[in-house]
Amino acid sequence: MPHMVKIDLNDLDRYFQKAELIPAICYEVDTKTVLMLAYMNKESLRRTLETGYTWFWSRSRQEYWNKGATSGHLQKVVSIFADCDDDTLLVNVRQTGVACHTGEYSCFFKEIYNDKEIEA
């Protein structure tokens, strides 16, 4: 079944009024895990919408990046939501393999605070 783009691909400017790059939070729908945060520009958002797989702009390499194209750890897009200000995207995906370049499932694996009571 083809994916359903619910916006005009020629009207992506609304998401880039404040900046050329916007944060895209990737969330795995089956495991309910925040996988990573990356950045999209207008063209990477267009590629994502057209292909149904995540594309980002690599700030360090200054090039487009199709998540998993070389590793095989693809992110199939299930849905995309814009926040209330149209300047951040929530990209719901089905992750193949791991999301983090370190080999961890999620990029968010370094706990720095936890308010849970320690059981004696």
Side-chain angles (χ1 to χ4, degrees):
M1 182 159 96
H3 51 279
M4 171 75 79
V5 178
K6 296 188 173 189
I7 59 173
D8 182 349
L9 291 180
N10 296 314
D11 187 30
L12 299 181
D13 291 338
R14 68 188 297 174
Y15 304 106
F16 302 93
Q17 297 295 314
K18 297 176 187 167
E20 289 182 21
L21 293 175
I22 60 172
I25 302 161
C26 294
Y27 179 81
E28 214 296 335
V29 296
D30 295 324
T31 63
K32 301 185 180 358
T33 304
V34 175
L35 297 173
M36 56 183 275
L37 181 138
Y39 290 87
M40 287 187 175
N41 63 15
K42 196 182 319 178
E43 178 60 24
S44 59
L45 176 56
R46 180 185 320 283
R47 290 180 186 193
T48 297
L49 293 169
E50 289 175 343
T51 66
Y53 289 88
T54 55
W55 283 83
F56 305 104
W57 177 255
S58 171
R59 297 180 302 166
S60 58
R61 296 187 311 269
Q62 293 291 294
E63 64 184 16
Y64 291 101
W65 158 45
N66 177 214
K67 178 66 177 162
T70 55
S71 68
H73 298 177
L74 296 169
Q75 293 178 335
K76 174 70 176 134
V77 177
V78 174
S79 62
I80 301 176
F81 289 84
D83 75 338
C84 56
D85 295 323
D86 284 338
D87 62 3
T88 302
L89 300 175
L90 175 61
V91 185
N92 294 306
V93 301
R94 286 209 164 83
Q95 176 72 43
T96 299
V98 300
C100 187
H101 73 281
T102 66
E104 294 289 333
Y105 181 68
S106 166
C107 293
F108 297 96
F109 61 91
K110 299 178 182 180
E111 185 175 58
I112 61 172
Y113 179 83
N114 188 329
D115 193 25
K116 293 179 183 172
E117 294 284 327
I118 299 173
E119 294 185 24

